[in-house]
Amino acid sequence: MTEALIYLDPDSNLNLQSQIRQKLVDAILIGTFPGGSRLPSSRKLAEQLGVARNTVVLVYEQLIDEGFLESRERSGIYVNKGILQGRIGFHRRSSRRVEVDTHWRKRFCSQTDDKPQFQWPDDWQKHPYPFMDGHFDASLYPTTQWRESSRMALGTRDLSTGLVADGNTDDPSLLEEIRTKMLPRRGINAALDEILITLGEQNALYMLAHLLVDETVSVAIEEPGNPRMRQLLALRKAKIVLQPVDENGMLINTRLDDTQLLYVTPSHQVPTAVTMATQRRQALLKKAHELDQLIIEDDFEHESNFLGQPHPALRSMDKDNRVIYVSALPRVLSPGLRIGFIVAAPELIREARKLRRLVIGQPSLVSQRTAAFFLSLGHYDSFMARLHQEMNQRWLELRDALNHYRPYFTTMPNKGGSVFWVLCPQHIDVETLAIEAAKRGILIEPDSHYYAGKRQSKNCFRMGVTSIPRESIREGVERLRELMWELESGKSEFLNEDDPDLLRGNELQRVMSGSTWIYKTVYGDPCTFELHEDGTLSGWAGHANEERDNGKWWIKDDRWYRQWNEWAYGEISSFYITVKGHHLRLFNKEKRLVDSAIIHIYQG
Amino acid sequence: MTEALIYLDPDSNLNLQSQIRQKLVDAILIGTFPGGSRLPSSRKLAEQLGVARNTVVLVYEQLIDEGFLESRERSGIYVNKGILQGRIGFHRRSSRRVEVDTHWRKRFCSQTDDKPQFQWPDDWQKHPYPFMDGHFDASLYPTTQWRESSRMALGTRDLSTGLVADGNTDDPSLLEEIRTKMLPRRGINAALDEILITLGEQNALYMLAHLLVDETVSVAIEEPGNPRMRQLLALRKAKIVLQPVDENGMLINTRLDDTQLLYVTPSHQVPTAVTMATQRRQALLKKAHELDQLIIEDDFEHESNFLGQPHPALRSMDKDNRVIYVSALPRVLSPGLRIGFIVAAPELIREARKLRRLVIGQPSLVSQRTAAFFLSLGHYDSFMARLHQEMNQRWLELRDALNHYRPYFTTMPNKGGSVFWVLCPQHIDVETLAIEAAKRGILIEPDSHYYAGKRQSKNCFRMGVTSIPRESIREGVERLRELMWELESGKSEFLNEDDPDLLRGNELQRVMSGSTWIYKTVYGDPCTFELHEDGTLSGWAGHANEERDNGKWWIKDDRWYRQWNEWAYGEISSFYITVKGHHLRLFNKEKRLVDSAIIHIYQG
């Protein structure tokens, strides 16, 4: 190995001794020969290089003098362990090469958008409240099942004998599992020539952008939207139409009329997690049909609908094969299994298959086979059930915590997925919030990198539940609210003791008794409280009053106390109350304004 | 799952019953509901779809009448197993969609070269003599070691906790293994920011082409050369200069002067397996330096040099960071581990890293970690030693067989690798040869798809040893020669009994005795035989006479008999001999011309 490193150049200006010395020093400084490693004897190295032994001896002696090497009696020549101390720079960067400026910038024919990307800190594990999306805590990885599947994949005879790895063929057993187990859940019937295996979702989108987009094509994407898709389109020099999103998903209007391709994430919009409404799906397909547009449906996180049934995929409603469906095995598996797929018209699949051969060769057969076993052994179903349950609990926990600590948060309506798109008070700058939060161990994601254009507001951020344990969620949200209080210091509203609307003692008792309060939950659902005269409390929430709870209320020290059985963690809380007309406001013990409602008073 | 498949469209012209029927029939015909699978009860399905039970009952009854479904007493409704018989067409292709012509061709912004590619037959396993390259017989796959590495990779705590999978970070342990174990063998020192992990060699080349090539860039590639690289460059619309290859590798001349980028495979040229000579390497680097060109060095199969030491990589000789080195874990591992890497200037690596994020996201962490363990546990080294030994034996066996059955074959000079580039007699068309050979169980690869331009000749083909067991090699070559005899029927030269140069009896004995013959081996090395008067035989081959053998010779029935101890399988062979001047010709028992040599006669 040493001799390969030391290439002696007959045309060099340096003599043999200097050349050998130079190469050895390079190898030591760059870490190819780590501290403590043993070098060949001078005799052996001289033999290998075809030089006089004395040449090598001289080099070694010089390097020992200079501290690069050390000689250990009856043992040999070693690289000095201390040599790299204080030389970190060398380790990171080659010092050997003459840095001829080969004008790299000028040479790049295509460059990826250089805008600084949002990045989670490398030491995110050390943060007790990581409200990150897309990373998963270790407990969720189905290690045992994955191992079994991978062992079986390695055991199949056809691993090295079955498929001709020509880049054209997908593992038939994986195709069959996707076709009969995954796609029907989304309402999709697909023939074999309508499916292509890819190296995950990103790889699928890359190939589609490559095939369908260039500078002549106008593409509509959601705003805010998936920043990687935007980068992909920029790489292809597409004309981009940024289409706003509301609580029913991407708007369908005449702004789309001049586009040829639409990219949508209808299941859970990235980044807002909004689900596209059925009517809007129909309008989208109708327009695409009339204008002969293609649609890329990125069916992101379709598995995780916690409220109500999932919508069938757009592709299942598509009558004329214009929806190109992209999905993948769940993200939590992606450290081990990056498998995605495209379902589309056979013409497109054929072309994408040819491109795939050039881009990645072929997805690893063992990975494909592992995924096939994971599906066929039923691990996928049981794993998804477990994941769904866990995510559902975390998601509810976060929703309830956000609701409990309102009105500091409001979110987009959300039927599931793994994130909430949170709106915080206007005078808080979300970039500052994220930085300060990280210092307290709370990780949240500011919204800015999801916008291509001007942000509508500067106070949105995302909170995800894939990496935070359920039991830390409430505490994380509470601490985040405390931080917000600090950040808005001077801007919070406090109770004025002289406020003529402040209710006390008997008056408070009288006004509260028999009153009905109308709220909106943090996620936009209506919510009604009734304060019965007998001191009991009833509540309904949801558009169909699907959530209910009971509790009790009382008055003490000029404050209103309440305790629900389930809601608000079943804890006792107390508030100062002001009422002006129908407007009710609640102040906490520290007299900070914390909530408000509409009150209907039925005085006895 | 059933209800997701049946999306009821309120705006459809069809009534509910017809819609349900249509979706069910589609799902059955396309195979989403395979024959024998059970459908939900009419009550359950009606509930799920929100329709009257009777609607479903009517659909089911109609489908039972038509043979799509069958009712089994006390058990339920099942898909008729026989329904798909004779309907293969439906299985392959969707019948559901209205095939509105969305003008796919017109929509493609980039299309991959559609030229028919050479493809090995899917049932190559059934061929007893698969002289294929790039497929490996199952015996070579290091299943146990791979499993151990993969188990350990799955066991590491940081699988799901360590790295932030943001597409930017490579597994540090794999980088370290490549840096300190693989690259030094090739003479390469690399700092961490000079290495990027890719999804194999093809993926690395794709990204480099994407970054460095567009329609303004002129790229020199070898001719014949790697067809996928040509396709990649075509995809990028590069200007391509086809540079010929001789027995010392790619020619370095003024044709290269107008190019900005060169793609070379110096270790074992693809497809000829020629190794680039040192002088030519130096000339290449000198020219690149003068003209400020970049070089992509595809270090293909560098591990398998069987004759002499491997050359260090071009990059190890490169003083100004213009060589971009591409390599990968050995191909035999690729069903399970597709890991390649680029070693280049940090500026380029940084840009490639950004692109990789868009193209594939990130190579799977488990794969990277598995590869790292495979290297760090020493499996790589022991596996490579075993592979090297096995390939070396097969390679020698093929070389010797080709040599034995000469002059029907000649090859390019070849120091290793896994293939021979074989030239067969001019009047044999190699496409026909390959087709006819396949019928006899012999798989060879015609040369045509390696040429972009006009082929220099039409009678080259490749024979590889990665998939054929050693013990089948000789027989395969022998049968191939028999096929050639058939194909050239009428064109073979036979002994003319009246040939005045034909030597018989005592005259034959007298001329042979003490003579020296000079040959060239099939692989171009000189070879000398001495026929001693005592009936013994000595032979030397190779440029330094490094191969020697002894044997005996005698005359019987007007034929010359010989038997080497080792060469020619130690078998007895006999030939009719003609001598004209110094030109000696050998005819086999069937009087077919089979060989020739230059003879020096020292008559006693």
Side-chain angles (χ1 to χ4, degrees), chain A residues 6 20-28 33 39 59-60 63:
Chain A
I6 302 176
I20 296 171
R21 182 192 136 73
Q22 189 194 43
K23 303 277 160 99
L24 279 177
V25 170
D26 277 350
I28 292 166
F33 294 149
L39 293 187
V59 172
Y60 277 4
L63 292 179

Side-chain angles (χ1 to χ4, degrees), chain B residues 272 399 402 409-414 420-423 521-524:
Chain B
T272 64
R399 192 187 75 157
L402 290 171
F409 313 102
T410 51
T411 72
M412 289 287 259
N414 184 321
F420 283 88
W421 182 254
V422 183
L423 190 76
T521 60
V522 69
Y523 40 93

